[in-house]
Amino acid sequence: MEEYKFPEGFKWGSATSAHQVEGGNHNDWSEWEGSAKRVEQLKKEGKNPDDFISGKACDSYNRYEEDFDIAKSLNQNIHRLSIEWSRIEPKEGRFDHEAMLHYVNVIKALRARGLEPMVTLWHFTNPIWFAEKGGFLNVDSPTMFTRYVKYVVDNLRDRVGLWITFNEPTTIYSTFAYLMGVWPPHHKNLLSMFTATNNFTKAHILAYQEIKKIYDVPPALAETSLVSHNVMVGFAENNAYVVISRNWFKGLAGRIYNYFRNLRFISKVAPYCDFIGLNYYNLDRKIFKNFDVLPKQQFVPSKKWELYPKGIYYRLMDLKQFKKPIFITENGIPNVIDGERISFIKDHLYWVLKAIHGGVDVRGYLYWSLLDNFEIVDGFPVRFGLVEVDFETFERKVRPSALEYAKICKTNQLEIDS
Ligand code: BGC
């Protein structure tokens, strides 16, 4: 048995997002999920539409304390969640103070359990009014987004020290929503995609600057401020391992694709962030198959993903160029025999540690997801959780992999049979 120690103070946890766990959200996604067109399409595919409507999700809006009790019992010391913009600003410019108070209580509940909050301000969903104004195609979207961000950060500034502006704004969202047309608002237009990615870039920079201004003044109540001096603001982007061919032409094409797939947004916003959040799941052979370079890897049918744990090492080594601390903000596997989940985690952690030894400043690892939840587009059948959820009774059941992961979180080290 070999032991692999992580750096002191390394953070261990898991991640969720509001729309996927809270339940009862009304936003552009819930509108689409329940639309006649979507329901009809699902029926045609022989699927049960109820499985694809977020509805009550995990009911975490009401059960968050139970969720955090579980995370704490699993020795986790950080938790990533998102704030639902449509709850905070249901009508343009009108902020719902009760909704805000709810999130203040959520953050207090995390802190009370010794879990450091990492708060995402946008995780795919938009208020209806914002979507109706064109969403991130609207030239004013950066200002509209930042107005909401300021309200939230003003109210949480003394309790949250890790902020994420956007989750996967360009690599995933802009591609699926504006180019491939498979996510709301279903555009299939290269220009729309570039307009959206530009607006996300502007919005991130503006929000970053405004958040920093909020922390630029002394804490309101010094004795209650838990974070005042070392607040960090970043974003979470998805990176996939792109298999590059040895052939010069294919290799060049692969490198260009890699830039657009993984680096374009990060290159632009890197001067305006205190950390990078890396969501890593799979490898990507979209440009060329390149089986000559890398043979077929383990395949996850429910997501059509090919897994490649060493890819996280390569992505981290590549992101080192930006000279920023990195958190693994998501990494997970769905619908497997649970034993495979812990192997998945360990295999990735092994390569994360290799990257740390290679000089990458990795600060923490957050598994996706704490709970089985409402998977974006794929609905309830696709289960990522360390904790199993019964979507009828909302009963939570800790999976054996969660207990194994808890050992790693507790000892801050990985044990691998040699
Ligand atoms: C997203 C999550 C999603 C996960 C698994 C990530 O790209 O941020 O919302 O559930 O992938 O598909």
Side-chain angles (χ1 to χ4, degrees), residues 315-326:
R315 291 314 312 139
L316 285 168
M317 292 304 281
D318 198 13
L319 295 179
K320 192 176 153 190
Q321 61 180 296
F322 298 111
K323 299 189 176 64
K324 299 284 176 181
I326 300 178

Side-chain angles (χ1 to χ4, degrees), residues 72-85:
K72 184 186 176 196
S73 76
L74 295 172
N75 306 319
Q76 299 184 12
N77 56 21
I78 189 168
H79 185 73
R80 176 177 172 220
L81 51 75
S82 76
I83 298 211
E84 176 61 31
W85 184 4

Side-chain angles (χ1 to χ4, degrees), residues 20 123-124 167-168 279 281 303 305 330 368 375 384:
Q20 295 176 263
H123 197 123
F124 301 149
N167 179 69
E168 303 182 340
N279 295 355
Y281 287 93
K303 295 296 292 180
W305 282 343
E330 289 182 28
W368 180 274
E375 172 62 3
F384 277 89

Side-chain angles (χ1 to χ4, degrees), residues 8-69:
E8 223 193 344
F10 195 82
K11 295 283 184 192
W12 295 102
S14 50
T16 62
S17 89
H19 188 68
Q20 295 176 263
V21 300
E22 283 182 351
N25 280 320
H26 183 215
N27 52 37
D28 57 344
W29 282 78
S30 65
E31 288 272 290
W32 171 61
E33 288 155 17
S35 68
K37 201 170 162 201
R38 165 87 168 145
V39 168
E40 201 184 306
Q41 178 63 33
L42 288 165
K43 281 188 182 155
K44 254 198 227 150
E45 291 168 16
K47 294 177 178 158
N48 175 1
D50 291 346
D51 286 343
F52 299 85
I53 293 177
S54 51
K56 289 188 176 170
C58 305
D59 194 29
S60 290
Y61 197 79
N62 300 308
R63 294 168 201 255
Y64 62 90
E65 286 178 292
E66 185 185 345
D67 295 343
F68 301 163
D69 281 341

